[in-house]
């Protein structure tokens, strides 16, 4: 492809290689650096919720070795059920950091495992950029690859899950995803068993890292099916797919969490079906050259109908017989966005499972969201085997990203690849044989790595019969696109810095005069728990905070973010939404010692438990419909409120009491009435909250975290004054020291005794 | 002198309790009127200190420590205690583990009533008395039918508290009524009134009687959750020498057995006092061990599912001041994870109660729980938490018999691939020839 432009061919190649290396290295560096905002602003700390568990698990693995980790029975989670960590976790993340730690240790670089965990995702973002370069190179051209690599290095949609401290599966899984796709495309192009086997290996790494591997094992068969239907069947497809499928299935079954799912669940059945179909198609192709057309048609129609019908019947028989699990609720919720809310509230309750707003497409992808359809169009126009793949990838990912905010992450790589193609193709066209523009781009002072690949020296004019465009238009378009790219960089940096670099363990606000105020209530509370409670104390909280309590406070939790047991979560939800005495019975049965609630009414933090409370009620109602009814928690006009109109049940439930206990004693602002809730924006319904069965143990500085302690049963059954059968007549005498007592002047006792004697 | 017998027995049996007992009275004359009762406590070895209830120097705590183990209040007419004492203070004493015996009478003071309320009981108002027009004592009663003869059927069926109910003789009672609050789940109805009795001011015509029938309690008690014991009785006269030495004659013609016999007051009061002073029915756990069958130490971290486990608990009972092996045969062990997965009765071998069982095939955090509650005994609770983990990845069966066909098929396929490869690589020509030959034959 590369033509010499006045230079020798070897030096041209050398220059191209050098440029490629430099650009990729810079992409890596910029991607890494832009993810460090959180560390610069705060500190080297693990973020959010799930990363805390990953960190805790990694720490355990590094301390106790891999086999102890694989067989780790965590008695501090899901009390009293416990959790087998090895069998319920994707270990790829932990193993990766453990391996890095081990290698660094071997080289005598002694780094604390936490630092490795914090910096893992930014490091892998560079690898993702390289994998994306290779993928795009296979799909289109090296120039497009460089564009795509630069895009993915800084695109906010990917940065959101891979800033320093965000130690989560997605951080390494996107790399594995892109690399697997690259190897798949490569193996499809070459038809080589080696590449297909490597693809299966990469897939194995993906399976070990993230549950999103299901996307791969459905997308690749879809690609194969599309190729067959388009009449693009080839022996290369047959070799690469069959090799990939067999090896990938066997390898993925080696992950304990996945186990027999690849052969026993409906989500994996399409891959198997395509595997069978490929055999038939291959047999047909073999037969077509050897038998007459008439025979072939009979065989084709008859055989395909019989086999297809048989496959469907067998599948349903297996599902009916329980050998193959039907599609799970999570699968249905991808097609019907209202499904989860009705049937699996626990999934719908997670904010990142909500449908995406169009704003976040722009927010996360910026100019690439607008440009990638162009790339898609180029791919459709110049379709070949591997471009069918990126088309399918983009179309399905766009759909899924629209269903769930979280799946924006899978869309981002596709968008980057296609945008890279679009930009590269456009520049190839508009910078062709143009000496001016390279100079002008070189003179821009952006300093971004991607400005260097704009010249397109390496991307010469392919033999396109372009319609002639004037030089001015070319310049104009090139400069305009360049401005777009610069704006993308600015936007990406801005979003990364402002939206995605918050640890959420530490909150930050601005004071009136613009100073930064750090609110460290979470760590304050967890530290209090760690220092002031018994080692085996059991802390009940809503599941969102389970991992943090385990990770930071090192205390036993009842439920956590690994929401595997819905009924146990429902039990906690029931305790939170019952009145105090009913909740006390549940908590006694679960041996709860402390209860932790998040309350944002003082500082106006909207992610608190009162705002999540309806989900607790819904989840509890799912399991205990007789005791908990969602409508009981609404006002008469059917609104969710804790204000004056709130229902009695709402005002007496444990969650309300724990949130607003002693709240009316404080004033959130000097011109606000007592009991004014800043998050909700009105005065609460019941101000004199009294607690009988629990007592306040700790409340953090900004009231963000409140910890309550379960009281023991009363030692003695005291009678309340209201329940007395015989009322008191005399005055109760106040307590005092060294006072003289008062006796009834009681002469008759003596007299009667005398009589009795 | 039939009362001498139990007292003498008590003296013989035990003189080794060395607890400090504070007795509060209205006047120190009670040393004479209740000399037998107070003497019996002293004879069992306790240090008895008698003070008047209005003494300004009274105290139960010194530097936060208990000064006395037990408190006996034979002063019904206390309106306000002297010193630092108060119903709240006495409740604090109970919460700190002290035991309290309180006697009331018709002239009952508000402080005593308040103390009862603190513990889930209520004394009736001052000047009222338990009246029974059927079961009064025909010889001792003064005409308002307040001196009541209590039969043994009115006693609680608990030998540890009231002694041997089959042998007990009729008991004389004269005093105020007690009722318990419905929410008082710990209450023990030690002596219940007869169905014909009621509580009212003697001599007045009874209207709207609030306390009547079997709801009326004469002696009631409870064991607090910290095992402190509290007993209330409506009659301080029960404890008097006069009643100890009297002869009971029930006016009820149906109760011929209760005519002209020496009272059982001494025996009953002695038994109740011994129970309150923790001389009876006190259990403790000496040692608990659990381990896999065939081992002697528990595993360091956790058990594995389906293991055989041996559990043993050594329980001791306080008898006559000495800890001796507990011989009860109805102690049960529960292996609990929210619900009990195993519940088994422990085999008692001279105070060592043990059992063997198989851990269920369910992993989780379990508790070995012995929760022994019997009326009269202290609450014995021993909980040991232990995790039960699933099998290690190395602990599963390596080869399963039913899988041999699959092993065979995989190995045969491997052999087949090798053979096919050899055939494909090295016998291509001959294979072609044979195909051609086959075609020719057709």
């Amino acid at each position: 492809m590369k033509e010499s432009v006045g230079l020798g061919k070897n030096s041209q190649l050398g220059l191209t290689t050098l440029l490629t290396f430099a650009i990729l290295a810079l992409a890596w560096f910029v991607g890494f650096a832009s993810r460090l905002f959180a560390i610069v602003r705060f500190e080297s700390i693990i973020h959010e919720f799930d990363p805390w568990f990953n960190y805790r698990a990694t720490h355990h693995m590094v301390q106790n070795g891999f086999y102890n980790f694989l067989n780790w029975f965590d008695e501090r989670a899901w009390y009293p059920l416990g959790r087998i960590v090895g069998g319920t976790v994707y270990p790829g993340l932990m193993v990766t950091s453990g391996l890095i730690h081990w290698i660094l240790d071997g080289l005598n670089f002694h780094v604390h495992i936490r630092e490795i965990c914090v910096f893992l995702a930014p490091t892998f973002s560079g690898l993702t950029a390289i994998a994306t370069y290779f993928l795009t190179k296979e799909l289109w051209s090296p120039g497009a690859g460089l564009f795509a690599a630069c895009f993915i290095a800084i695109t906010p949609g990917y940065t959101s899950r891979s800033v320093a401290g965000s130690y989560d599966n997605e951080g390494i899984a996107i790399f594995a995803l892109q690399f697997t796709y690259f190897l798949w495309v490569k193996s499809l192009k070459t038809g080589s068993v080696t590449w297909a086997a490597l693809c299966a290996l990469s897939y194995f790494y993906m399976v070990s890292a993230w549950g999103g591997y299901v996307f791969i094992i459905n997308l690749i068969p879809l690609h194969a099916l599309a190729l067959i239907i388009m009449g693009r069947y080839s022996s290369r497809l047959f070799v690469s797919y069959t090799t990939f499928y067999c090896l990938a299935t066997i390898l993925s079954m080696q992950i304990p969490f996945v186990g027999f799912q690849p052969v026993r669940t409906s989500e994996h059945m399409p891959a198997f079906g395509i595997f069978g179909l490929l055999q038939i198609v291959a047999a047909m192709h073999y037969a077509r050259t050897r038998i007459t057309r008439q025979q072939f048609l009979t065989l084709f129609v008859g055989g395909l109908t019989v086999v297809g019908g048989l496959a469907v019947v067998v599948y349903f028989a297996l599902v009916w017989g329980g050998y193959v699990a039907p599609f799970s609720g999570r699968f249905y919720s991808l097609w019907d966005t209202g499904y989860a809310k009705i049937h699996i509230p626990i999934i719908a309750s997670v904010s990142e499972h909500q449908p995406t707003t169009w704003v976040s497409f722009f927010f996360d992808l910026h100019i690439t969201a607008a440009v990638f359809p162009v790339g898609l169009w180029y791919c459709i126009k110049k379709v070949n085997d591997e471009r069918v793949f990126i088309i399918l990838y983009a179309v399905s990912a766009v759909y899924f990203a629209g269903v769930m905010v979280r799946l924006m992450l899978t869309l981002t790589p596709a968008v980057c690849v296609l945008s890279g193609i679009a930009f590269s193709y456009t520049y190839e066209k508009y910078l062709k044989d143009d000496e001016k523009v390279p100079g002008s781009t070189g003179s821009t002072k952006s300093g971004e790595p991607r400005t260097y690949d704009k010249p397109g020296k390496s991307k010469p004019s392919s033999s396109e019969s372009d319609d002639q465009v004037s030089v001015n238009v070319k310049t104009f378009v090139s400069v305009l696109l360049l401005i777009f790219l610069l704006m993308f960089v600015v936007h990406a940096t801005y979003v990364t810095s402002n939206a995605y670099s918050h640890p959420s363990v530490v909150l930050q606000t601005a004071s009136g005069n613009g100073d930064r105020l750090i609110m460290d209530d979470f760590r304050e509370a967890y530290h209090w728990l760690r220092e002031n409670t018994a080692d085996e104390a059991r802390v009940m909280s809503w599941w969102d905070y389970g991992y943090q309590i385990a990770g930071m406070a090192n205390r036993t939790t009842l439920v956590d973010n690994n929401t595997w047991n819905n009924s146990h979560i429902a039990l906690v939800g029931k305790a939170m939404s019952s009145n105090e005495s009913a909740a006390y019975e549940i908590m006694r049965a679960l041996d709860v010692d402390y209860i932790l609630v998040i309350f944002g009414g003082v500082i106006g933090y909207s992610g608190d438990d009162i705002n999540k409370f309806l989900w607790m009620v819904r989840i509890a109602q799912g399991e205990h419909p007789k005791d908990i009814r969602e409508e009981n928690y609404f006002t008469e006009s059917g609104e969710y409120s804790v204000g004056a109109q709130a229902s009695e049940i709402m005002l007496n439930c444990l969650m309300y009491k724990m949130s607003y206990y002693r709240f009316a004693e404080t004033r959130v602002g000097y011109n606000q009435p007592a009991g004014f809730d800043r998050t909700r924006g009105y005065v609460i319904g019941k101000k004199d909250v009294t607690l009988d069965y629990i007592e306040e143990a700790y409340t953090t500085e900004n009231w963000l975290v409140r910890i309550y302690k379960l009281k023991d049963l009363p030692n003695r059954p005291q009678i309340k004054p209201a329940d007395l059968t015989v009322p008191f007549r005399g005055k109760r005498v106040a307590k005092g020291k060294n006072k003289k007592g008062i006796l009834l002047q009681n002469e008759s006792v003596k007299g009667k005794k005398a009589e009795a004697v | 002198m039939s009362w001498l017998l139990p007292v003498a027995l008590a003296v013989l049996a035990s003189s080794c309790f060395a607890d400090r007992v504070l007795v509060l009275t209205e006047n120190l004359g009670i040393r004479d009127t209740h000399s037998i009762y107070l003497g019996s406590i002293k004879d069992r070895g306790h240090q008895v200190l008698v003070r008047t209830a209005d003494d300004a120097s009274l105290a139960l705590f010194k530097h936060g420590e208990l000064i006395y183990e037990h408190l006996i209040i034979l002063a019904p007419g206390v309106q306000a205690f002297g010193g630092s004492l108060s119903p709240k203070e006495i409740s604090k004493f109970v919460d700190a583990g002290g035991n309290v015996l309180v006697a009331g009478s018709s002239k009952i003071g508000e402080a005593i009533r308040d103390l009862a309320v603190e513990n889930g009981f209520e004394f009736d108002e001052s000047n009222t008395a338990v009246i029974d027009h059927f079961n009064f004592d025909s010889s001792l009663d003064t005409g308002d039918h307040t001196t009541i003869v209590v039969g043994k059927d009115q006693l609680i069926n608990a030998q540890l508290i009231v002694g041997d109910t089959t042998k007990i003789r009729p008991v004389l009672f004269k005093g105020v009524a007690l009722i318990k609050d419905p929410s008082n789940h710990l209450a023990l109805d030690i002596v219940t009134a007869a169905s014909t009795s009621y509580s009212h001011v003697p001599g007045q015509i009874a209207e709207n009687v609030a306390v009547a029938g079997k709801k009326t309690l004469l002696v009631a008690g409870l064991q607090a959750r910290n095992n402190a014991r509290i007993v209330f009785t409506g009659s301080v006269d029960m404890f008097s020498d006069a009643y100890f030495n009297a002869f009971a004659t029930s006016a009820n013609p149906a109760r011929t057995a209760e005519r002209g016999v020496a009272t059982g007051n001494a025996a009953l009061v002695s038994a109740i006092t011994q129970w309150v002073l923790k001389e009876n029915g006190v259990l403790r756990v000496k040692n608990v061990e659990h381990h896999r069958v065939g081992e002697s130490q528990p595993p360091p971290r956790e058990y594995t599912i389906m293991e055989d486990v041996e559990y043993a608990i050594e329980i001791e009972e306080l008898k006559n001041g000495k800890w001796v092996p507990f011989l009860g045969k109805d102690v049960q062990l529960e292996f609990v994870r929210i619900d009990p997965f195993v519940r088994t009765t422990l085999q008692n071998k001279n105070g060592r109660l043990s059992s063997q069982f198989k851990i269920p095939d369910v992993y989780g955090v379990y508790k070995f729980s012995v929760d022994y509650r019997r009326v009269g005994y202290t609450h014995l609770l021993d909980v040991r938490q232990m995790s039960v983990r699933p099998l290690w990845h190395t602990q599963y069966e390596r080869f399963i018999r039913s899988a041999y066909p699959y092993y065979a098929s995989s190995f045969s396929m491997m052999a087949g691939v090798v053979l096919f490869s050899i055939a494909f690589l090295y016998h291509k020509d001959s294979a072609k020839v044979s195909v051609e030959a086959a075609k020719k034959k057709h």
Side-chain angles (χ1 to χ4, degrees), chain B residues 95-113:
Chain B
D95 293 342
N99 307 300
V100 180
L101 175 68
V102 183
S105 80
S106 293
K107 295 287 176 197
I108 190 157
E110 295 296 293
I112 299 293
R113 294 189 57 210

Side-chain angles (χ1 to χ4, degrees), chain A residues 113-380:
Chain A
I113 186 71
R114 190 187 66 229
E115 310 300 334
I116 291 169
C117 295
V118 166
F119 288 100
L120 188 74
T123 312
F124 263 75
S125 70
L127 291 176
T128 311
I130 291 168
T132 307
Y133 164 75
F134 281 120
L135 173 63
T136 319
K137 190 179 155 196
E138 291 304 322
L139 289 171
W140 198 269
S141 70
L146 290 175
F147 263 111
C150 293
F151 282 134
I152 197 131
I154 57 167
T155 184
Y158 174 46
T159 316
S160 65
R161 294 319 201 85
S162 61
V163 294
S166 177
Y167 179 54
D168 213 345
N169 294 333
E170 289 92 330
I172 62 168
I174 296 302
F175 158 70
L177 186 81
Q178 292 293 84
F179 200 61
T180 311
Y181 286 156
F182 156 66
L183 289 170
W184 164 248
V185 168
K186 187 85 184 169
S187 73
L188 182 67
K189 278 172 94 173
T190 56
S192 136
V193 175
T194 319
W195 284 110
L198 285 175
C199 178
L201 268 179
S202 172
Y203 173 78
F204 172 62
Y205 183 63
M206 174 71 186
V207 175
S208 79
W210 195 34
Y213 75 89
V214 177
F215 185 48
I216 299 182
I217 201 63
N218 280 297
L219 187 60
I220 288 179
L222 186 66
H223 183 208
L225 181 68
L227 290 180
I228 293 167
I229 290 172
M230 290 164 79
R232 287 172 168 275
Y233 169 81
S234 62
S235 59
R236 287 177 290 117
L237 175 68
F238 181 80
V239 170
S240 53
Y241 185 81
T242 47
T243 315
F244 165 76
Y245 177 74
C246 295
L247 285 176
T249 305
I250 289 170
L251 284 172
S252 64
M253 285 166 75
Q254 306 310 309
I255 304 294
F257 192 25
V258 175
F260 280 92
Q261 280 181 36
V263 289
R264 297 200 62 166
T265 57
S266 293
E267 281 84 353
H268 296 82
M269 282 303 120
F272 180 65
I274 299 301
F275 179 72
L277 185 67
L278 263 181
Q279 311 305 318
I280 297 169
V281 172
M284 292 294 171
H285 270 263
Y286 179 78
R288 194 163 57 182
T289 55
R290 285 166 176 78
I291 53 179
T292 64
R293 191 168 172 75
Q294 187 59 41
Q295 281 171 318
F296 176 75
L297 270 179
T298 321
L299 196 65
F300 181 75
V301 175
L304 211 61
T305 323
V306 169
V307 172
L310 208 64
V312 171
V313 168
V314 167
Y315 170 71
F316 279 105
L318 286 174
V319 171
W320 180 76
Y323 294 102
V324 171
F327 285 103
S328 70
R330 281 176 196 257
F331 176 82
Y332 288 122
S333 64
L334 282 179
W335 310 108
D336 176 7
T337 46
Y339 181 89
K341 200 172 174 179
I342 303 162
H343 296 96
I344 25 178
I346 196 143
I347 290 179
S349 77
V350 181
S351 61
E352 62 185 24
H353 290 164
Q354 303 297 326
T356 320
T357 55
W358 67 267
V359 183
S360 56
F361 278 97
F362 178 75
F363 196 67
D364 279 354
L365 303 171
H366 195 249
I367 188 67
T368 51
V371 170
F372 91 92
V374 179
L376 195 62
W377 174 244
Y378 287 153
C379 285
I380 291 170

Side-chain angles (χ1 to χ4, degrees), chain A residues 93 184 251 318 463 467 508 666:
Chain A
L93 185 67
W184 164 248
L251 284 172
L318 286 174
S463 54
D467 42 349
Q508 174 198 326
T666 62

Side-chain angles (χ1 to χ4, degrees), chain A residues 19-82:
Chain A
L19 262 180
T20 309
F21 264 104
I23 289 166
L24 286 178
L26 277 171
W28 190 330
F29 174 75
V30 170
F32 185 83
S34 74
R35 284 167 169 80
L36 300 185
F37 277 111
I39 289 182
V40 176
R41 295 251 177 82
F42 298 95
E43 60 188 281
S44 174
I45 186 185
I46 305 286
H47 290 195
E48 296 198 311
F49 305 106
D50 287 21
W52 275 101
F53 169 76
N54 298 329
Y55 167 60
R56 184 165 162 254
T58 312
H59 195 258
H60 185 92
M61 189 185 77
V62 170
Q63 297 259 306
N64 299 295
F66 178 71
Y67 282 114
N68 271 307
F69 166 68
L70 194 66
N71 290 290
W72 182 21
F73 176 71
D74 184 6
E75 72 249 19
R76 297 220 156 194
W78 292 92
Y79 180 89
L81 310 174

Side-chain angles (χ1 to χ4, degrees), chain A residues 71 591 714-715 739 744 746, chain B residues 77 83 95 107 225 367 389:
Chain A
N71 290 290
D591 298 325
N715 189 36
K739 62 180 190 298
L744 284 177
N746 197 344
Chain B
D95 293 342
K107 295 287 176 197
R225 292 204 165 83
K367 291 181 291 185
R389 60 154 302 123

Side-chain angles (χ1 to χ4, degrees), chain B residues 83 130 132 185 202 265 297 328 422:
Chain B
V130 184
D132 193 333
H185 303 299
N265 277 38
Q297 289 294 316
I422 293 167

